Amino acid sequence: MGTWAKAVLITVLTVRVSALTEDCPEKGLHLLQSKGRFILAKDDTIDGENGGDLTSDTETRTGETRKPELMKGVSYGPSMSTSPSEAHHQDYFCDAAEPIWGGRGDLEIIASLGANVVRLYGNDPTLEHQKFLDHAQSLNLEVIPGMGDRAFQQCKGIGNFSCFQGAKEAYLQNLQKGFLVGKAYHPSIKYFIVVNEPELKLPSLGEPKKFAKAIVSAIDGVLDAEEELGVEGPKPNLTVTFSFAFCNQCDNFRDRPGLGQLWTLKDALLNPEKYGVEPKRNLTAFFETRFTFSFNSGNPSDEIQSLFLDHYEVAFPSTPIFVAEYHNPGNPHLKKDLKQILRVARHSSLLLGISFFEFQNRYDQAGHLIWGMFDPQGHDEHDSARSQVVKFKETSELHVPCLSPVFDHDTTIIEELTKAYKGPGVNMSKLCLPDPDKVLVSKHGFLQMVGLKNVTAMQIFIKRVVTKLGGFVPYVVPAEIAEMFMNPFARYRDLEAMLVSHPEWARWDVFASCMVDVEATNSTVAGKLAYICGLGYVDCSKVPESCEDLWDTASWVFGTHFREVVYSQDFTPKPLQHCYLDGAAQFVRSSIWKKMPVKKDCIVPLGWTDPNKVHISQHGFHLVWSNRDPVAMKVFITRALEHTGGKLETNVPESFVTETLALEGSFKMLQDTLAAHPPWGSWETAACVPDREAKARDVGAAIGLVCSKGIFDCGQIPAECKGSVWDQAAYVFGSYYRNLKVRSSTSPLYDCAFDGRAVFAGPHLYKQFNYTPACIVSVPDH
Ligand SMILES: *[C@@H]1O[C@H](CO)[C@@H](O)[C@H](O)[C@H]1NC(C)=O
Ligand SMILES: *[C@@H]1O[C@H](CO)[C@@H](O)[C@H](O)[C@H]1NC(C)=O
Ligand SMILES: *[C@@H]1O[C@H](CO)[C@@H](O)[C@H](O)[C@H]1NC(C)=O
Ligand SMILES: *[C@@H]1O[C@H](CO)[C@@H](O)[C@H](O)[C@H]1NC(C)=O
Ligand SMILES: *[C@@H]1O[C@H](CO)[C@@H](O)[C@H](O)[C@H]1NC(C)=O
Ligand SMILES: *[C@@H]1O[C@H](CO)[C@@H](O)[C@H](O)[C@H]1NC(C)=O
């Protein structure tokens, strides 16, 4: 640490040391831990800076400025859901949740990772919490509980962000139901989080005055609750956990993530009246003696240092801080990153440490499947005797899921965290392995299977992916296919790409449809419905009247959307990408949806490739070609002819259709034939113009793309063509194509396609489009 920082630190230490001397258990643990760290450091050569680690420890121990033990936490919110669903219960550290944190061994697992702190989320103050705190203490774990959001409900609404009362009432109950032992705090309580990410909900980042008022008044309520019960002895610091967002409306640090919020809160604690708060307790004294900052972040360690900590240490030189959620998911060097952030903390005078985010994946919260070190997994029916049962007041009896470790390439997150935290390691015999029949059919499930290294399991999983894609596997997935996807560099994308090309070992169904997933929650479905309608591929005012029920509407909208997306884009359908919608939709084969209790006329099957809609491209050709339908191929050839500026004079000869459909048939061959102007067509002077079938929005985007290519200067668009996107596109596409043709040899099927938004049309065609004639830029074809 810099000398200036040390100097400042010593002046505040008179306050801190007195608090620490009362804290005997922590001291013993500290020595023991640093000894353990030393021994481990010797054989762990990867962590090159362990020597530095030791000296900084001795330094702090001999000087008066002993830094508290490094915080190595785990963020713990063990929801019971094993598939996407809404949560029924939020407080997992109440006595009733003992089968989870105790019976399943969660706290023991956390301790064996080498962690010393458990960070919790909002609690229900009407429930008892002492058992959890006792159990944590027996394992040398400290606990950071947090206030539940319910305490803020009233002040957020009619209460004008005055949160004193709600916070005080909730905290009084907390103190009486476990936080206090007699008149003193339970020794395992390390900090209390008065509110998590307040700036995102009270009411928003845009209103710093309001969230500051809410937080400060809530802190005042917590302090007043302590006072009212006459709490004795050392008290834990309070903290407020902010997000790592930029606060553009804050008075300071608008261009630094997290810091604007921190600055605002400090200002409000020191000058509460400025924010409309008349505190009952002395908040200045509180800030100087009992407040610790904290924040959540998904950034890697070097960014935390450079974007945040370097500036924090200057701006808040005497207030410690910790990362209450730390995890940079998808980081290829997770272990290194974890070690690095701990090293940063060790060398910082203010950063106390981190809490790893998070113990397990959360199926009750969309988007929370990339953070956890465990996946909760349901038990088999016949195996349920093995699992424990838990009962909350608002739920029926629930089986406690087992924990399956999440793989990270060829290791697991728990192994990486154990190495960083230097714990003895988790006893694997208590865990279960990811089950190929139960993991989510998603990238996450796929990576779990890769990590498992079990061919049979991968075969079972791929079979489920095929089903999701609207096919089915009559026998088994060939082992060599499964093996191909077992290497650590295999990608889910590649599996999907292989499957949509319809391999022979599976059967496929053109009446498969994108429809609602009946297991999704109604709120997810309703949310996605609004989102899809907003995208504009499907006209949601045209939902058939008979599909009025939420699920039927969703099936019609999702099905129509998917079909339109398939035609608007020049690649193979990707049901897992465009028909998943966070679990609201699924791609279902016809033999299954025909048996489902849904209205059949609200189902929109993908159907055979429509030759009137596919792009005139290599890919579009292949789709029509694989249907082996001469009528469809004739339509495609006719459209291709029109896209080269030609006009059909007679019928496309049957012999040519047959030739195109033959094994050697190709798009290149079709293109060459058309370029030679066969006698069944005629060619006139044509122009590259936007295709009337395209969406105005896509055409607009194509204009931008063309203008950026430097072939044609878009500053030259005549005023009369600026009135509509269509006229503008006609002028831009036409001029671009003409300029290109002057420079090099071109083919309209490639150079006037713009992803299906343009057509090189003869007059008979472009006249039907009704563009302003002056905006059409013709090119003689020869
Ligand atoms: C809400 O509180 C602010 C101060 O924080 C005050 O200026 C405002 O008048 C209050 N509004 C109402 C309706 O009481
Ligand atoms: C509040 O505490 C601060 C710092 O301890 C002190 O300077 C100030 O006088 C106190 N204010 C009141 C009103 O007691
Ligand atoms: C509690 O807060 C005070 C004031 O910020 C600080 O000096 C002290 O180190 C904090 N204690 C802990 C354990 O964070
Ligand atoms: C791991 O747990 C099993 C079953 O609970 C137990 O029998 C075994 O002794 C444990 N192993 C270690 C090394 O603690
Ligand atoms: C591989 O996975 C299958 C299917 O889940 C399972 O039955 C089998 O026991 C596993 N084999 C090994 C060696 O774990
Ligand atoms: C969800 O929507 C379906 C279909 O509209 C309806 O039958 C069901 O009762 C709804 N469920 C809930 C929990 O509202």
Side-chain angles (χ1 to χ4, degrees):
M1 82 186 82
T3 41
W4 57 267
K6 230 182 231 165
V8 178
L9 212 77
I10 285 161
T11 58
V12 288
L13 260 166
T14 39
V15 183
R16 215 157 107 193
V17 163
S18 66
L20 281 174
T21 43
E22 285 170 289
D23 216 358
C24 291
E26 192 193 66
K27 244 184 192 167
L29 199 77
H30 173 74
L31 289 173
L32 204 123
Q33 278 289 125
S34 55
K35 216 170 148 198
R37 225 193 273 157
F38 173 55
I39 293 164
L40 275 160
K42 282 188 104 168
D43 53 29
D44 195 349
T45 44
I46 303 168
D47 193 355
E49 281 193 43
N50 271 304
D53 167 24
L54 196 70
T55 44
S56 67
D57 261 2
T58 354
E59 184 186 68
T60 46
R61 226 175 297 136
T62 48
E64 281 160 287
T65 62
R66 181 172 77 79
K67 214 187 138 185
E69 186 196 355
L70 201 60
M71 177 190 292
K72 294 181 288 183
V74 170
S75 303
Y76 183 64
S79 125
M80 316 258 304
S81 311
T82 55
S83 59
S85 56
E86 272 151 36
H88 299 290
H89 186 81
Q90 294 291 353
D91 179 340
Y92 297 102
F93 92 116
C94 61
D95 289 2
E98 183 169 4
I100 307 176
W101 50 255
R104 187 169 63 183
D106 290 7
L107 288 189
E108 267 175 71
I109 290 174
I110 291 173
S112 57
L113 292 164
N116 52 20
V117 165
V118 191
R119 184 252 155 124
L120 301 169
Y121 291 84
N123 79 79
D124 177 347
T126 65
L127 303 178
E128 298 282 346
H129 294 111
Q130 188 181 339
K131 285 187 176 176
F132 183 99
L133 298 172
D134 288 347
H135 187 47
Q137 192 188 9
S138 75
L139 294 164
N140 283 332
L141 289 172
E142 292 185 296
V143 181
I144 309 180
M147 178 103 68
D149 282 351
R150 216 170 297 168
F152 295 89
Q153 232 156 38
Q154 170 138 28
C155 63
K156 207 166 123 179
I158 55 172
N160 196 12
F161 299 97
S162 235
C163 303
F164 178 91
Q165 206 54 37
K168 179 174 174 183
E169 278 162 20
Y171 203 65
L172 274 174
Q173 291 189 72
N174 275 162
L175 290 171
Q176 288 162 330
K177 291 178 190 282
F179 285 22
L180 293 184
V181 184
K183 290 238 167 225
Y185 263 101
H186 194 291
S188 72
I189 296 183
K190 174 87 173 172
Y191 297 101
F192 181 72
I193 301 176
V194 177
V195 54
N196 184 43
E197 301 190 344
E199 79 276 38
L200 305 184
K201 57 193 179 198
L202 287 171
S204 74
L205 261 172
E207 300 187 83
K209 282 256 158 28
K210 287 187 184 158
F211 68 68
K213 177 180 178 185
I215 304 165
V216 167
S217 55
I219 288 176
D220 197 35
V222 167
L223 297 177
D224 205 50
E226 284 176 342
E227 196 67 24
E228 185 162 316
L229 294 183
V231 175
E232 292 167 359
K235 300 186 181 79
N237 276 17
L238 304 184
T239 187
V240 170
T241 304
F242 286 100
S243 79
F244 208 50
F246 289 87
C247 181
N248 298 325
Q249 300 300 316
C250 287
D251 286 346
N252 254 307
F253 295 113
R254 296 176 180 198
D255 55 347
R256 292 273 157 217
L259 287 172
Q261 298 88 300
L262 268 54
W263 185 89
T264 306
L265 177 57
K266 177 178 174 180
D267 189 50
L269 283 168
L270 299 182
N271 310 290
E273 64 293 341
K274 222 171 108 182
Y275 294 79
V277 180
E278 279 176 46
K280 285 186 82 170
R281 302 288 142 208
N282 186 335
L283 297 180
T284 302
F286 159 78
F287 178 76
E288 284 167 359
T289 57
R290 274 191 71 193
F291 186 71
T292 300
F293 276 121
S294 55
F295 68 103
N296 298 329
S297 168
N299 295 50
S301 51
D302 52 338
E303 289 181 18
I304 302 257
Q305 170 99 53
S306 62
L307 292 181
F308 182 84
L309 197 58
D310 291 346
H311 308 273
Y312 178 86
E313 290 180 336
V314 177
F316 304 90
S318 57
T319 312
I321 185 163
F322 62 91
V323 194
E325 286 179 2
Y326 183 85
H327 183 182
N328 178 226
N331 190 318
H333 308 289
L334 181 62
K335 185 178 74 183
K336 213 170 132 198
D337 186 63
L338 288 166
K339 287 186 170 191
Q340 178 58 25
I341 189 72
L342 293 174
R343 198 176 297 143
V344 168
R346 232 173 262 137
H347 289 283
S348 159
S349 57
L350 296 174
L351 182 61
L352 299 167
I354 61 166
S355 176
F356 180 81
F357 186 73
E358 63 184 327
F359 184 74
Q360 63 154 69
N361 282 327
R362 301 285 301 259
Y363 287 90
D364 59 335
Q365 297 188 357
H368 274 230
L369 296 181
I370 54 169
W371 307 95
M373 59 179 119
F374 292 108
D375 240 348
Q377 187 168 284
H379 290 269
D380 290 327
E381 301 291 309
H382 57 269
D383 199 29
S384 55
R386 239 186 61 196
S387 79
Q388 313 223 6
V389 170
V390 73
K391 162 122 190 47
F392 299 116
K393 61 182 181 191
E394 68 279 31
T395 69
S396 51
E397 280 196 346
L398 303 167
H399 282 283
V400 178
C402 67
L403 296 173
S404 118
V406 169
F407 286 95
D408 183 24
H409 299 99
D410 45 8
T411 175
T412 58
I413 297 180
I414 43 176
E415 284 170 81
E416 295 177 289
L417 192 61
T418 304
K419 290 216 171 94
Y421 279 2
K422 303 186 174 165
V426 176
N427 184 341
M428 296 301 236
S429 72
K430 296 203 170 118
L431 308 177
C432 54
L433 288 174
D435 184 337
D437 280 312
K438 295 199 177 116
V439 292
L440 222 52
V441 176
S442 66
K443 183 175 164 195
H444 171 68
F446 174 74
L447 292 176
Q448 288 293 86
M449 291 300 111
V450 174
L452 196 55
K453 300 194 179 76
N454 173 335
V455 177
T456 315
M458 184 59 99
Q459 286 172 295
I460 297 172
F461 177 75
I462 295 180
K463 194 166 178 167
R464 289 177 63 213
V465 182
V466 171
T467 307
K468 269 265 176 189
L469 287 168
F472 78 109
V473 180
Y475 308 108
V476 290
V477 174
E480 60 274 19
I481 297 286
E483 276 161 8
M484 207 165 89
F485 286 97
M486 302 277 292
N487 86 63
F489 300 101
R491 289 176 312 174
Y492 186 53
R493 245 192 294 153
D494 300 334
L495 173 61
E496 242 186 77
M498 183 199 70
L499 295 179
V500 290
S501 73
H502 291 183
E504 282 161 12
W505 43 266
R507 302 217 179 115
W508 304 92
D509 169 8
V510 293
F511 294 103
S513 168
C514 182
M515 61 182 287
V516 72
D517 186 334
V518 292
E519 282 175 18
T521 61
N522 285 0
S523 61
T524 311
V525 172
K528 292 297 167 187
L529 198 55
Y531 166 71
I532 291 297
C533 289
L535 290 182
Y537 286 101
V538 41
D539 182 352
C540 291
S541 66
K542 300 223 166 97
V543 178
E545 259 170 45
S546 61
C547 308
E548 60 190 344
D549 172 71
L550 172 67
W551 285 0
D552 290 330
T553 307
S555 285
W556 188 87
V557 169
F558 294 167
T560 312
H561 168 78
F562 185 68
R563 208 165 60 173
E564 290 303 314
V565 166
V566 167
Y567 285 125
S568 74
Q569 296 176 341
D570 195 25
F571 46 69
T572 339
K574 292 191 170 144
L576 297 173
Q577 190 176 329
H578 297 117
C579 177
Y580 177 62
L581 307 177
D582 287 337
Q586 58 178 158
F587 200 61
V588 181
R589 63 179 199 263
S590 56
S591 60
I592 296 196
W593 65 250
K594 281 179 182 152
K595 287 188 215 124
M596 285 168 79
V598 290
K599 281 214 190 98
K600 305 296 178 285
D601 36 348
C602 303
I603 304 283
V604 184
L606 191 52
W608 295 106
T609 301
D610 183 345
N612 282 300
K613 286 192 162 184
V614 286
H615 287 199
I616 303 296
S617 67
Q618 171 73 42
H619 176 73
F621 177 87
H622 183 77
L623 291 178
V624 176
W625 180 85
S626 35
N627 286 352
R628 301 262 173 259
D629 177 355
V631 178
M633 185 50 94
K634 208 181 261 188
V635 172
F636 186 82
I637 295 173
T638 309
R639 284 182 63 217
L641 174 100
E642 294 194 322
H643 275 73
T644 62
K647 182 179 173 198
L648 193 64
E649 285 300 320
T650 62
N651 236 333
V652 180
E654 300 297 332
S655 60
F656 183 62
V657 176
T658 311
E659 201 185 326
T660 325
L661 277 175
L663 224 46
E664 318 64 61
S666 71
F667 188 56
K668 175 87 173 60
M669 177 202 114
L670 172 59
Q671 201 181 6
D672 290 346
T673 306
L674 295 175
H677 291 182
W680 36 274
S682 64
W683 275 262
E684 296 175 75
T685 296
C688 184
V689 294
D691 192 338
R692 262 294 180 201
E693 294 285 309
K695 300 257 178 300
R697 193 183 58 180
D698 294 340
V699 170
I703 295 178
L705 195 73
V706 175
C707 290
S708 68
K709 289 193 175 184
I711 303 283
F712 162 69
D713 175 6
C714 290
Q716 298 171 13
I717 304 172
E720 60 200 305
C721 303
K722 284 185 175 163
S724 84
V725 71
W726 300 101
D727 283 342
Q728 200 169 329
Y731 193 81
V732 170
F733 292 175
S735 309
Y736 168 85
Y737 186 71
R738 186 168 60 185
N739 288 2
L740 198 68
K741 198 168 165 68
V742 170
R743 295 185 191 189
S744 59
S745 77
T746 57
S747 161
L749 292 184
Y750 286 122
D751 300 315
C752 172
F754 305 124
D755 263 341
R757 280 106 201 213
V759 48
F760 189 64
H764 71 283
L765 188 59
Y766 67 63
K767 280 186 183 147
Q768 293 173 28
F769 294 166
N770 279 331
Y771 302 139
T772 303
C775 305
I776 292 184
V777 183
S778 307
V779 190
D781 193 53
H782 274 291

